[in-house]
Amino acid sequence: MSRTSTSTLRLLLLAGALLAGSSPALADLRMCNTTGSRVGVAIGYRDAQGWTTEGWWNIAPRACETLLRGTLAARFYYVHAVDYDRGGEWTGKSVMCTRNKEFTIRGIEDCLARGYERAGFFEVDTGEQKSWTIQLTDTTGGAPARP
């Protein structure tokens, strides 16, 4: 998977409970791709057994996918996303393990020594909500917004 960081991709975070038309009683971590490109998404989180990274969810343009079902177990989730059509990525300072194909990886240490790749993930603070939706956008300018 080729990755570049030349595009001016930005993200917009929204609380799933605040989205118009969202179902009440659902508790999930969702990702909405508001761009005109196909994106691949990997997530990282810490649970009772330690750190886990999972991927890839392929999300069509202007579509949403549920990444984790049920009440969120953590306050912070970490996301790395790749724009398949135009290049570029959504990345951050938290380094975690990934692979080029579907994966679930336990632990974030020694990625290369264990045969994995290293990628930067951006942090999403859910504010301890029971559900959350992350929206990826390709707008330029301005800092990421939070509810």
Side-chain angles (χ1 to χ4, degrees), residues 24-87:
L26 288 182
D28 298 325
L29 179 65
R30 292 178 44 84
M31 173 75 65
C32 291
N33 172 16
T34 67
T35 75
S37 298
R38 296 170 301 129
V39 298
V41 175
I43 61 169
Y45 54 90
R46 186 175 179 92
D47 61 17
Q49 288 83 39
W51 287 100
T52 298
T53 52
E54 296 184 53
W56 294 95
W57 286 268
N58 296 311
I59 306 176
R62 290 174 278 292
C64 297
E65 292 287 334
T66 298
L67 306 182
L68 298 173
R69 295 199 182 280
T71 301
L72 300 182
R75 176 177 176 168
F76 297 98
Y77 288 86
Y78 298 83
V79 177
H80 179 87
V82 177
D83 184 320
Y84 291 139
D85 297 329
R86 293 183 297 166

Side-chain angles (χ1 to χ4, degrees), residues 46 72-77 123-129 146:
R46 186 175 179 92
L72 300 182
R75 176 177 176 168
F76 297 98
Y77 288 86
E123 183 178 89
V124 175
D125 181 352
T126 67
E128 298 182 2
Q129 297 294 316
R146 285 186 191 205

Side-chain angles (χ1 to χ4, degrees), residues 3 78-81 89-96 98 118-122:
R3 296 187 180 127
Y78 298 83
V79 177
H80 179 87
E89 60 188 353
W90 292 262
T91 186
K93 296 179 182 178
S94 299
V95 177
M96 299 185 183
T98 64
R118 292 168 32 106
F121 286 64
F122 66 84

Side-chain angles (χ1 to χ4, degrees), residues 9-23:
L9 300 175
R10 301 286 185 258
L11 69 127
L12 175 65
L13 305 176
L14 294 174
L18 299 177
L19 289 175
S22 65
S23 302

